[in-house]
Amino acid sequence: MIWQRYTFHKIQQNKIQQNLKNNLIRFHVRANSDSSFDQACKLKVRDAIINYLQPKLLESESIEESELIIKKEYDELEKISKNIILENGYDYDVKVGIDYSKFPTKQYSNVVLPAGEYKALRIIIGEGKGKNWWCVMFPPLCFVDEQKGIIDKDTDDKLREVLTEEEYELISQKTSKQVDRVQIKFKIVEIIQDIIK
């Protein structure tokens, strides 16, 4: 019974994750190391990049348009990142690019995304050996107000546009209990997948 339930959730999660992979751009910042300075620096870079890209991506209507906007800004994103690092007394290299990255199950307000590989804007600071930070650039879940606990109507509308109704219903939850339940289901599948690899 448990194995059947796992298999059902795994198939469901894989199907959804495949479509999400083709409809979302995530944001992945990796710190130079886990030192307190490098972790603080990573967050400053994150904030500056989000503030810079937010107005440019809010009007985007598709993943393709968002990807083009981001790619046109590579040089500026690298410059912003390097300036912040220099202002804080270091001279790390910065790598900027869009690539596929592995993400764990992650909650953004009332949306829960399953673990898997997603297209992501990646910013790697220095050696990139520190902890990650991630969000979703398109639809713009990086800009969600976490205090309110729900995503705004524009972001919700964009999610509905890029996902099927079934996918939207599965990842978008109305209450904190529902969010917790879905997150636990996705996490169980993620853990079992790691065990049987």
Side-chain angles (χ1 to χ4, degrees):
M1 185 71 172
I2 292 172
W3 187 253
Q4 286 174 326
R5 206 175 295 154
Y6 158 73
T7 304
F8 170 75
H9 288 303
K10 182 180 184 311
I11 291 166
Q12 197 177 28
Q13 181 173 327
N14 284 346
K15 183 179 161 196
I16 288 164
Q17 200 279 320
Q18 266 310 113
N19 198 41
L20 291 174
K21 179 178 178 176
N22 299 320
N23 288 295
L24 303 178
I25 296 178
R26 298 183 77 167
F27 181 29
H28 181 199
V29 185
R30 188 158 202 132
N32 178 64
S33 76
D34 283 334
S35 74
S36 56
F37 168 79
D38 285 345
Q39 287 298 310
C41 191
K42 171 192 74 178
L43 298 177
K44 289 176 184 175
V45 168
R46 169 204 70 183
D47 292 346
I49 298 299
I50 288 173
N51 288 338
Y52 180 76
L53 285 177
Q54 179 178 16
K56 298 176 187 305
L57 292 175
L58 283 176
E59 300 306 314
S60 175
E61 295 298 324
S62 69
I63 188 172
E64 293 82 10
E65 187 181 346
S66 295
E67 189 169 348
L68 282 174
I69 291 167
I70 292 167
K71 284 181 173 177
K72 283 181 187 171
E73 299 296 338
Y74 278 176
D75 289 343
E76 191 61 30
L77 299 178
E78 185 178 329
K79 190 169 131 190
I80 289 167
S81 302
K82 283 191 165 190
N83 284 343
I84 287 168
I85 293 162
L86 284 170
E87 285 168 13
N88 285 274
Y90 282 76
D91 188 22
Y92 297 138
D93 283 335
V94 175
K95 293 184 190 88
V96 175
I98 290 181
D99 199 358
Y100 282 93
S101 291
K102 278 193 147 204
F103 288 80
T105 297
K106 183 75 176 144
Q107 177 187 343
Y108 302 97
S109 193
N110 59 323
V111 170
V112 181
L113 298 179
E117 282 205 347
Y118 292 83
K119 186 177 284 189
L121 165 61
R122 298 182 76 207
I123 298 192
I124 310 299
I125 301 170
E127 293 184 23
K129 292 183 176 174
K131 287 190 181 92
N132 300 311
W133 185 89
W134 42 73
C135 70
V136 180
M137 281 282 177
F138 179 84
L141 297 178
C142 289
F143 318 130
V144 168
D145 181 353
E146 289 297 332
Q147 302 305 314
K148 292 181 183 171
I150 55 168
I151 59 175
D152 63 66
K153 186 179 179 332
D154 290 342
T155 304
D156 191 56
D157 289 344
K158 281 189 181 174
L159 267 178
R160 287 176 185 273
E161 284 172 26
V162 301
L163 302 176
T164 66
E165 191 175 331
E166 179 192 8
E167 290 160 348
Y168 175 83
E169 289 302 320
L170 189 67
I171 68 163
S172 177
Q173 307 303 312
K174 307 299 178 250
T175 68
S176 59
K177 277 187 180 176
Q178 287 173 319
V179 166
D180 291 345
R181 246 192 325 262
V182 169
Q183 196 165 17
I184 288 165
K185 279 183 194 173
F186 286 158
K187 197 69 184 165
I188 289 168
V189 172
E190 188 182 336
I191 289 166
I192 292 173
Q193 283 176 316
D194 286 344
I195 290 169
I196 62 174
K197 277 183 183 175

